């Protein structure tokens, strides 16, 4: 889909476009516009066609304007809505100051024009010669057609209070043998930059850091393919940051190779970075699961003993739920807030640390915790991709526990001592045991042991070439395999609360004699694989996907006893060694989260196209 560009006048900056569904990315129309039967969407052009009386509401996750975020963080010397099309419509803009507390900010009849019609909001919001003061609330547009009409494009535009900040954006995409996905992402981005790059007012260049050496990227002046050893996401993004520094870029955007997103992400991110008052302004993109494109998976996250995704489960089709989330998004971020590297833009000059060599999992947490970025989330800046529960395996759980323990050892403001960190390790282990995922529990014990080896372990295993297959080999019962002929098992039903509490007390029957005879069996859908309640009261559980691949886990008290015995011995060792471990890891962090460390792993050759990138003139 190629949507018509929103017209902007000289000296204006397009803050965000009224974006429409793109079936190739997300076809959940209620995330974009709420409309009655008098409004039809042209999927190819993104235009809305109105019959007389047709009504369209744009107070959605993709298209509301978060006045609180933009006015507090950015120097705005003007603010307006620009609409283009044909026909006569009644336009109303409301401001929702708090949940269920909205006021009409502007309301007028307009005759749409292909050249664009402007609804000024600046003075209605108290703007003056000193600019727009910090505001609260969400701006929502409503259109009602008075006769046949067509909306081709629209958006929120602004004039900067002072000269906009210069933005030269290095986009670092780390990939490993996902040739089709990274080629498609690169092609979509370059096509957009070729078409709209001049209007963005910023230079942008893509660095495809190819950890697998197999990516085939079409030659383009805005793209450099960079071969890199397989150092995981941490090494790939470290290479991207180094290239951003060497290329004199002002900002860097870290992106996953399989991230699927509309190009509006770039429009809003670049506009925000150009207008931000803070030198440390950063943008964290949200993430939505490909399996449930109507539900928020993570709108930023907080690291407080555990990773705590923000607003997980929010139904983005529900206007009240979206308003609640976005009103909260305008508040200062809590301590420990971090952004996922599926989409994270930050100022290069503020990067005092490089990624820590976790290989994958935890590098984005560590990077945010080590920097004082002024990070925001912007509604509609979101990536659609496979969620973490779908990717869960003994290896990923090994990596998760390893980084959780390391974060608490290294960052002084996370200090919780040997008892607190032991509780974290036991929490991970018991979650796996309760779910009868003993392979995963054994991998987590290995993670605990590896952290106790000190920072030298991470230094020697930056590429995980030796340790990764050893951990993957632990997946015996939890290895996915074809099982098309397996007899179906009953589906799990969510139990009452009291039953869940009882199962917690018994560790899901591990403390109950003869549990294998007393408990039942169930089959769990892939969408519920990361949950615990489907396994309550079960002694055998099968996980199977739509392609007939899956695995089964069964209750095993002998393995449970062996794992707990190992865990208790490790906890004793951990408590004794904790002061020395903490000191060693903090010293090692200074050495390993540094460019000097990574340069010993990078190839000597630097792509010549870094210096040959074509500049895009700023507006």
């Amino acid at each position: 889909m190629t949507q018509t560009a929103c017209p902007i006048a000289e000296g204006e900056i397009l803050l965000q476009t009224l974006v429409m569904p793109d079936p190739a990315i997300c076809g959940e129309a209620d995330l974009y516009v709420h409309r009655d039967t008098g409004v039809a969407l042209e999927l190819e052009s993104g235009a809305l066609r109105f019959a007389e009386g047709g009504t369209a509401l744009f107070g959605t996750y993709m298209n509301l304007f978060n006045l609180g975020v933009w006015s507090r963080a950015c120097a705005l010397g003007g603010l307006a809505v620009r609409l283009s099309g044909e026909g006569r419509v009644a336009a109303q803009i409301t401001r929702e100051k708090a949940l269920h507390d909205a006021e009409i900010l502007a309301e007028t009849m307009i005759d749409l024009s292909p050249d664009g019609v402007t609804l000024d909001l600046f003075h209605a919001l108290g703007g003056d010669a000193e600019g727009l003061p910090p505001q609260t609330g969400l701006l929502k547009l409503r259109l009602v057609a008075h006769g046949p009409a067509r909306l081709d494009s629209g958006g929120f535009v602004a004039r900067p209070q002072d000269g906009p900040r210069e933005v030269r954006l290095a986009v670092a995409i780390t990939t490993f043998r996902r040739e089709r996905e990274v080629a498609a992402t690169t092609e979509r981005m370059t096509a957009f930059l070729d078409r709209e790059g001049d209007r963005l007012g910023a230079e942008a260049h893509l660095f495809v850091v190819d950890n697998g050496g197999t990516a085939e990227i079409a030659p383009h002046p805005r793209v450099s393919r960079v071969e890199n050893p397989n150092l995981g996401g941490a090494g790939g993004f470290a290479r991207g940051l180094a290239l951003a520094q060497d290329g004199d870029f002002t900002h860097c955007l870290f992106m996953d190779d399989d991230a699927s997103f509309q190009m509006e992400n770039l429009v809003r991110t670049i506009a925000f970075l150009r207008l931000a008052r803070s030198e440390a302004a950063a943008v964290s993109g949200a993430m939505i699961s490909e399996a449930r494109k109507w539900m928020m998976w993570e709108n930023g996250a907080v690291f407080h003993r555990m990773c705590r995704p923000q607003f997980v489960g929010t139904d983005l089709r529900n206007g009240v739920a979206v308003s609640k989330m976005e009103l909260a998004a305008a508040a200062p971020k809590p301590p420990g807030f971090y952004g996922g590297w599926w989409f994270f833009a930050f100022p290069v000059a503020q990067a005092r640390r490089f990624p820590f060599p976790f290989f994958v999992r935890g590098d984005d947490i560590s990077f945010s915790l080590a920097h004082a970025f002024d990070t925001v989330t912007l509604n509609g800046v979101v990536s659609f991709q496979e969620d973490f529960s779908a990717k869960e395996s003994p290896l990923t759980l090994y990596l998760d526990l390893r980084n959780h323990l390391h974060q608490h050892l290294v960052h002084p403001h996370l200090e919780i001592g040997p008892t607190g960190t032991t509780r974290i390790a036991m929490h991970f282990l018991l979650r796996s045991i309760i779910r009868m995922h003993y392979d995963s529990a054994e991998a987590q014990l290995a993670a605990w042991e590896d952290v106790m080896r000190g920072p030298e372990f991470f230094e020697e295993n930056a590429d995980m070439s030796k340790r990764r297959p050893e951990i993957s080999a632990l997946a015996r019962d939890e290895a996915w395999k074809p099982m098309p002929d397996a007899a179906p098992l009953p589906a799990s039903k969510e139990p009452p609360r009291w039953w869940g509490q009882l199962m917690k007390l018994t560790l899901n029957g591990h403390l109950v004699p003869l549990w294998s005879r007393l408990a039942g069996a169930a089959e769990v859908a892939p969408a519920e694989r990361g949950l615990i309640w489907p396994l309550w009261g079960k002694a055998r559980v099968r996980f199977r996907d739509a392609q007939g691949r899956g695995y089964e886990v069964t209750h095993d008290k002998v393995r449970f006893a062996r794992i707990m015995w190992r865990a208790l011995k490790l906890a004793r060792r951990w408590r004794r060694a904790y002061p020395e471990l903490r000191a060693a890891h903090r010293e090692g962090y200074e050495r390993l989260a540094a460019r000097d460390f990574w340069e010993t792993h990078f190839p000597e050759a630097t792509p010549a196209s870094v210096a040959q990138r074509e500049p895009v003139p700023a507006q």
Side-chain angles (χ1 to χ4, degrees):
M1 184 189 80
T2 302
Q3 191 170 335
T4 304
C6 176
I8 57 174
E10 185 177 352
E12 287 182 339
I13 293 177
L14 176 63
L15 304 184
Q16 66 178 58
T17 309
L18 293 181
V19 64
M20 295 299 161
D22 183 345
I25 306 296
C26 176
E28 290 282 352
D30 284 344
L31 271 63
Y32 299 82
V33 57
H34 296 154
R35 54 200 167 101
D36 60 19
T37 56
V39 182
L41 169 65
E42 294 181 351
L43 288 177
E44 185 62 30
S45 66
L48 290 179
R49 287 195 173 272
F50 293 76
E52 184 173 2
T55 301
L57 306 173
F58 296 92
T60 58
Y61 172 65
M62 290 292 187
N63 284 319
L64 64 80
F65 183 78
N66 197 320
L67 183 64
V69 170
W70 284 90
S71 67
R72 291 174 181 177
C74 298
L76 303 179
L79 182 64
V81 172
R82 183 73 47 75
L83 303 171
S84 73
E86 292 182 355
R88 189 171 179 81
V89 298
Q92 181 190 80
I93 298 173
T94 58
R95 174 167 69 163
E96 189 173 8
K97 294 182 178 179
L99 210 57
H100 307 299
D101 179 14
E103 63 178 3
I104 297 175
L105 191 66
E107 190 168 31
T108 185
M109 295 290 296
I110 59 174
D111 293 307
L112 294 172
S113 159
D115 295 329
V117 180
T118 301
L119 286 75
D120 183 72
L121 305 175
F122 186 67
H123 298 293
L125 290 168
D128 55 26
E130 296 183 358
L132 187 68
Q135 305 276 325
T136 60
L138 311 173
L139 301 186
K140 300 182 177 182
L141 171 68
R142 178 175 182 263
L143 298 178
V144 181
H146 284 239
R150 187 185 74 247
L151 179 70
D152 291 327
S153 67
F156 288 83
V157 299
R159 292 185 180 274
Q161 177 66 17
D162 302 308
R165 190 183 303 279
E166 186 177 14
V167 172
R168 298 184 302 279
L169 183 67
V171 181
I173 306 174
T174 297
T175 185
F176 180 76
R177 295 181 182 172
R178 285 179 173 172
E179 297 86 354
R180 184 178 61 181
E181 291 86 349
V182 74
T185 297
T186 304
E187 183 179 355
R188 286 190 298 107
M189 291 187 71
T190 52
F192 172 77
L193 292 171
D194 288 345
R195 186 176 66 250
E196 299 290 335
D198 290 348
R199 290 159 48 87
L200 296 178
E203 178 185 346
H205 191 86
L206 280 61
F207 294 100
V208 179
V209 182
D210 186 6
N211 282 354
T214 57
E216 295 183 2
I217 308 298
H220 194 283
R222 297 182 188 269
V223 180
S224 300
R225 175 180 165 272
V226 185
E227 286 205 17
N228 206 49
N230 185 19
L231 300 166
F237 289 124
R239 188 77 187 276
L241 178 54
L243 291 165
Q245 290 179 342
D246 293 344
D248 194 31
F249 289 90
T250 61
H251 294 78
C252 190
L253 169 61
F254 287 167
M255 275 179 38
D256 279 349
D257 55 359
D258 63 341
S260 177
F261 62 88
Q262 291 177 270
M263 292 300 112
E264 180 67 10
N265 277 16
L266 294 179
V267 174
R268 300 182 189 188
T269 297
I270 289 174
F272 183 87
L273 295 176
R274 292 183 71 196
L275 294 172
R277 293 187 178 94
S278 172
E279 297 277 351
V283 176
S284 170
M287 197 261 269
I288 294 174
S289 168
E290 288 277 6
R292 298 180 179 182
K293 292 186 176 182
W294 50 267
M295 185 183 80
M296 179 61 68
W297 179 265
E298 179 176 311
N299 194 27
V302 172
F303 189 84
H304 178 67
R305 296 180 182 255
M306 297 286 177
C307 298
R308 304 178 188 275
Q310 301 294 280
F311 302 102
V312 61
T314 298
D315 187 340
L316 300 174
R317 302 166 298 188
N318 183 300
V320 173
V322 169
S323 292
K324 183 178 180 180
M325 178 179 72
E326 286 304 315
L327 287 167
K333 299 305 181 193
F337 185 88
Y338 69 92
W341 281 358
W342 47 81
F343 193 96
F344 185 72
F346 61 93
V348 174
Q350 298 290 322
R352 314 297 185 193
R353 295 282 187 271
F354 265 59
F356 186 81
F358 285 119
F359 193 75
V360 293
R361 296 289 178 112
D363 40 11
D364 47 6
I365 302 170
S366 179
F367 193 72
S368 287
L369 293 176
H371 294 95
F373 296 132
D374 292 329
T375 305
V376 302
T377 56
L378 301 174
N379 61 288
V381 176
V382 59
S383 294
F384 297 85
Q385 58 192 89
E386 190 177 24
D387 65 48
F388 290 140
S389 65
K391 300 176 183 178
E392 186 175 286
S393 68
L395 177 60
T396 62
L397 291 171
Y398 160 88
L399 295 165
D400 277 341
L401 178 55
R402 198 183 66 167
N403 93 73
H404 274 68
L405 294 174
H406 180 270
Q407 314 287 10
H408 284 93
L409 287 170
V410 166
H411 300 288
H413 61 285
L414 297 180
E415 174 62 46
I416 55 175
T419 300
T421 46
T422 298
R423 287 176 177 170
I424 289 173
M426 295 303 293
H427 172 87
F428 272 80
L429 287 166
L430 290 175
R431 180 182 181 275
S432 293
I433 287 169
I434 282 171
R435 298 175 66 241
M436 296 176 284
H437 280 58
Y438 308 110
D439 294 350
S440 292
E442 289 174 355
Q444 289 164 333
L445 288 171
W448 202 353
E449 292 171 338
D450 287 348
V451 173
M452 294 184 69
R453 296 178 186 181
E456 292 76 19
F457 170 82
F458 293 95
E459 185 171 13
E460 295 167 2
N461 290 275
D463 64 359
M464 286 289 288
S465 59
K466 179 181 178 182
R467 195 61 172 140
R468 186 157 33 106
E470 293 173 347
I471 300 301
S472 296
L474 295 175
R476 299 181 298 274
D477 296 337
E478 299 168 37
W480 288 80
K481 56 184 178 294
M483 48 190 330
D485 300 326
L489 296 174
S492 280
K493 296 182 180 180
E494 189 164 3
R497 184 180 180 87
W498 66 266
W499 180 249
Q501 294 298 322
L502 178 61
M503 290 299 97
K504 283 184 182 180
L505 292 174
T506 66
L507 298 183
N508 199 23
H510 284 89
L511 303 181
V512 178
L514 304 176
W515 181 254
S516 294
R517 297 183 183 179
L518 299 173
E523 188 158 319
V524 176
E528 297 173 343
R529 181 167 172 254
L531 304 176
I532 294 179
W533 67 257
L535 288 84
W536 287 143
K538 305 297 186 296
R540 181 166 69 99
V541 173
R542 178 186 301 145
F543 301 88
R544 183 163 53 174
D545 62 20
Q547 289 72 46
R549 297 176 67 255
Y551 66 91
E552 284 188 4
V553 293
T554 57
H555 185 85
D556 190 331
K557 280 187 168 54
V558 173
R559 289 190 75 181
F560 161 68
R562 289 173 179 169
I563 289 167
M564 292 307 300
W565 179 245
R566 283 182 62 191
L568 292 173
K569 291 195 295 182
L570 266 178
R572 185 180 181 187
R573 283 177 52 203
W574 177 265
R575 293 180 65 87
R576 289 178 175 177
Y578 185 84
E580 293 79 12
L581 275 174
R582 180 181 57 193
H585 277 279
R586 289 185 181 180
E587 182 279 329
Y589 177 78
E590 296 296 322
R591 178 167 44 85
L592 300 181
R595 177 165 178 158
D596 287 348
F597 166 76
W598 286 109
E599 284 187 334
T600 63
H601 292 76
F602 295 155
E604 293 182 6
T606 299
S609 52
V610 172
Q612 297 172 356
R613 66 184 191 277
E614 292 188 355
V616 178
Q619 291 182 334

